[in-house]
DNA sequence: GTTACTGCAAAGCTTTTGCATCCCT
DNA sequence: AGGGATGCAAAAGCTTTGCAGTAAC
């Protein structure tokens, strides 16, 4: 009656899914749009955002707030963390389950559902060139 | 000769600093602007952003990417982490130094300069009411 | 006296939305 | 057939910028 809706597969969505599958570049909506537009010129931003929203709602996609400028998307929804280059904004996955707990006095009454570790630094290229 | 510029104190900046001092609400630029405008109607957004930028450059302020919608600012620049309510976006500080290291194979050549842990969940109020 | 800061308004970007049409299922 | 999805374009937010005037040092 409510909440659940069907996810209709369309050529546009298939293209987005194909682009995201196994993609570890943590693309922005713009990245996704322009990558797909090369192959499928008939593709609008509204569709990209619509699809990302639908995938997010189904838990098939993470929306990352690791970039100052724009949202980035991660098709890998297995628990993992990130290492971010502060210069070029490259993002590297870290698959390691850090054992972290919130101090009890702070956790009081808070229902904790997730965690995410961000490491910042300079990637090899940026460390070398700047 | 380059880079370093003076930080001129102005009434507007004093008001912003006063508002931020000891503030743990992790306000957005809008929050800061409207709070200060009550006392000092002559205050523009440009000045808020200008001042935040200057403080950030001096390392007196953190810009946080913990909110989907807008940047949040934290006047406490001692290493700490955050617990974020996914519903009302409240942010609680966690002063604990988690001992975290990036797996060696990933850290290769990366110059790591910082880390930040985010815990997600529902704050007591939101857990209760919805 | 310099140099930086201020306010205003316009512009820039990213993201969202309204709507008529289209097409999966 | 019907409920989603699409494309387009406009709008909405947040943040940045240009500029002339002003004030801190």
């Amino acid at each position: 009656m409510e909440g659940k809706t069907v996810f209709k597969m369309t050529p546009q969505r298939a293209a987005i899914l194909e682009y995201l599958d196994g993609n570890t570049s943590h693309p922005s909506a713009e990245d996704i749009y322009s990558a797909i537009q090369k192959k499928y010129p008939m593709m609008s931003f509204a569709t990209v955002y619509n699809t990302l929203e639908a995938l997010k709602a189904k838990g098939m996609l993470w929306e990352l707030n690791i970039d100052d400028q724009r949202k980035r998307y991660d098709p890998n929804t297995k628990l993992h963390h990130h290492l971010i280059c502060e210069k070029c904004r490259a993002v590297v996955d870290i698959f390691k389950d850090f054992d972290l707990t919130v101090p009890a006095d702070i956790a009081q009454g808070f229902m904790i559902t997730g965690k995410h570790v961000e490491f910042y630094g300079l990637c090899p290229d940026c460390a070398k060139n700047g």
Side-chain angles (χ1 to χ4, degrees), chain A:
Chain A
M1 219 72 182
E2 76 282 314
K4 284 220 157 355
T5 53
V6 231
F7 182 88
K8 285 191 182 171
M9 188 55 64
T10 63
Q12 292 86 340
R13 290 186 163 187
I16 293 174
L17 286 171
E18 184 197 348
Y19 176 73
L20 288 176
D21 183 49
N23 186 318
T24 59
S25 70
H26 308 80
S28 65
E30 165 76 37
D31 293 334
I32 297 169
Y33 173 69
S34 47
I36 291 175
Q37 228 203 7
K38 291 175 191 164
K39 287 178 69 177
Y40 306 90
M42 288 285 274
M43 160 67 78
S44 75
F45 253 108
T47 297
V48 172
Y49 279 109
N50 174 339
T51 300
L52 292 175
E53 184 57 40
L55 293 175
K56 194 171 56 166
K58 289 174 77 77
M60 296 170 61
L61 186 74
W62 278 1
E63 188 178 274
L64 306 177
N65 296 319
I66 51 183
D67 191 318
D68 279 8
Q69 314 295 337
R70 71 207 98 243
K71 291 178 184 164
R72 307 272 293 251
Y73 297 89
D74 193 334
N76 193 329
T77 57
K78 289 195 285 293
L79 173 67
H80 65 286
H81 307 286
H82 295 102
L83 172 54
I84 303 145
C85 177
E86 299 204 82
K87 194 169 176 213
C88 72
R89 292 283 136 189
V91 177
V92 179
D93 292 317
I94 299 176
F95 288 94
K96 177 176 176 181
D97 187 4
F98 297 107
D99 182 29
L100 307 171
T101 51
V102 180
D105 54 324
I106 295 172
Q108 279 293 349
F110 230 105
M111 180 193 294
I112 295 166
T113 57
K115 65 187 174 192
H116 180 228
V117 180
E118 298 164 359
F119 291 94
Y120 294 97
L122 290 177
C123 71
D125 279 359
C126 292
K128 205 182 305 164
N129 306 325

